[in-house]
Every structure is written in structure tokens, then in C-alpha cells.
Amino acid sequence: MKIIIQEGKSYQAITGKGIKATYKNRLILVGNRLLMKEHKIAIDDAESKIQKLENEGKTVVIVSFDNKIIGLIAIADTLKEFSKEAVSELAKMGKEVWMISGDNERTAKAIALQIGITNVMAEVLPQDKAAKVKELQSKGKIVAAVGDGINDAPMLAQADVGIAVGAGTDIAKETGGIVLMKNDL
């Protein structure tokens, strides 16, 4: 038996929040708390599950259909093999290590804890990462930023030293003053 499903309509990507579309004139949202809040979607019933996943260092994507939560997707970044060692070595050298992340605070802090980072800026929208670097610079700090994605390019450009990871996007590699040959610090 073959099931035929109509295609969704009106796809819209919302930077830093998720996507929305309509299907049979019903709203589909796939994204974070901000997106759900903007559309007045109640997440209270799912909040304990969301927090549990976030405390495990996972980013939770909420799926709603017709103004009701119908699912959660947990996404976990795998830490690079030598991340913890790199952070430890930088700390031994007297360097401050900061994590600037779009993840919510709970997820970002859980990941930071795993590798020994205590300074965390969380829930930073992609377009605001460069401003966070500038904020550190305004406090007299010399900033070396590491990134691999399209959203990291402005941050790499703003930093005193921009370091792109070798397997990153072309724009990150073009923007970084240094490009690592390997994918690990």
C-alpha cells in the first residue's frame, strides 16, 4: 500500500529559531522555545522531558502541528576527541576560554562542563556572535575565535585572530585568518 501525502506550503526559515510551514492549512513549527513562544504554543507538558535532554547536553527541537506539541528531537554534538585537552592546555597557559553558543543555557553549560569551560554565553543568535566577541574586546581582551559554520564567519572576522576548522564551510575558511588542517584543536 502506498500513502500519498500532500506537500507542505509556505516554508519559512526563521534564523536562530527554526522553521514554519503549513500543511492542509494547519501550522507546522519545528524549532526552539522562542519559536513556540512567538506562536503561543504551550510547552509546559513537555518541559520536564526537554530539561532532562538539555541537562544531558542535547539541543532539543520542538515539533508542533496545529498548535500542539507532537514531538521532540534531541540533537547531540559529538565533542572532538581532543577538545577537553585543548581547553585544559589553554587554561594552563593562563588563557580564558569562552563558549559562545546558540544553544539554550542549560545545554551549553552541560557541554561546557564536559570539557572544562566555565565561561559560557548561551542563546546567542547567529547574527549576534560577532557582537559578543566585540563585547569581550571592549573589556580589553584579545580574542581568538574558533568556528566552522556560516554563522561563525562574522565572529571570525571580528576576532583579533579567527581560526577556522578544516572541515568547516567555505565561508568560515575564507574568513578565518588561520585554517586548521584537521578538525580538532
Side-chain angles (χ1 to χ4, degrees):
M1 183 169 97
K2 186 176 181 180
I3 299 173
I4 309 265
I5 298 174
Q6 286 181 2
E7 252 187 65
K9 307 266 189 248
S10 307
Y11 290 99
Q12 181 183 1
I14 303 160
T15 304
K17 296 177 185 173
I19 59 170
K20 71 178 185 176
T22 56
Y23 176 75
K24 293 187 175 183
N25 295 320
R26 293 186 176 157
L27 182 64
I28 299 170
L29 298 172
V30 180
N32 61 20
R33 283 182 177 87
L34 288 172
L35 184 64
M36 299 303 145
K37 186 177 180 179
E38 277 181 9
H39 291 275
K40 298 177 177 48
I41 308 293
I43 63 168
D44 297 342
D45 292 344
E47 189 61 41
S48 65
K49 288 179 186 174
I50 293 170
Q51 286 184 19
K52 179 185 178 298
L53 293 166
E54 290 171 346
N55 286 331
E56 294 170 2
K58 296 174 181 157
T59 299
V60 178
V61 179
I62 305 164
V63 181
S64 79
F65 178 72
D66 200 23
N67 299 316
K68 293 178 187 71
I69 302 296
I70 61 167
L72 303 173
I73 302 168
I75 303 168
D77 285 330
T78 54
L79 295 172
K80 302 284 187 218
E81 182 181 357
F82 298 106
S83 295
K84 187 172 185 173
E85 183 181 340
V87 169
S88 176
E89 288 299 316
L90 288 166
K92 284 180 192 172
M93 295 166 59
K95 307 299 179 197
E96 283 183 30
V97 179
W98 286 78
M99 178 183 190
I100 301 175
S101 174
D103 285 330
N104 70 70
E105 193 165 347
R106 194 176 352 273
T107 300
K109 285 186 174 180
I111 293 167
L113 184 66
Q114 291 176 40
I115 57 175
I117 295 175
T118 56
N119 303 304
V120 178
M121 293 181 184
E123 299 179 31
V124 179
L125 294 174
Q127 64 269 24
D128 296 334
K129 285 184 176 184
K132 292 297 183 181
V133 168
K134 198 171 192 174
E135 182 181 313
L136 291 170
Q137 290 169 325
S138 73
K139 295 176 182 176
K141 299 185 187 301
I142 306 292
V143 177
V146 180
D148 64 358
I150 293 169
N151 296 333
D152 295 327
M155 173 185 73
L156 296 176
Q158 177 62 49
D160 297 290
V161 178
I163 303 169
V165 177
T169 61
D170 287 343
I171 191 164
K173 290 189 280 189
E174 288 293 323
T175 307
I178 298 171
V179 179
L180 300 178
M181 296 300 290
K182 296 184 178 183
N183 297 326
D184 205 316
L185 288 175

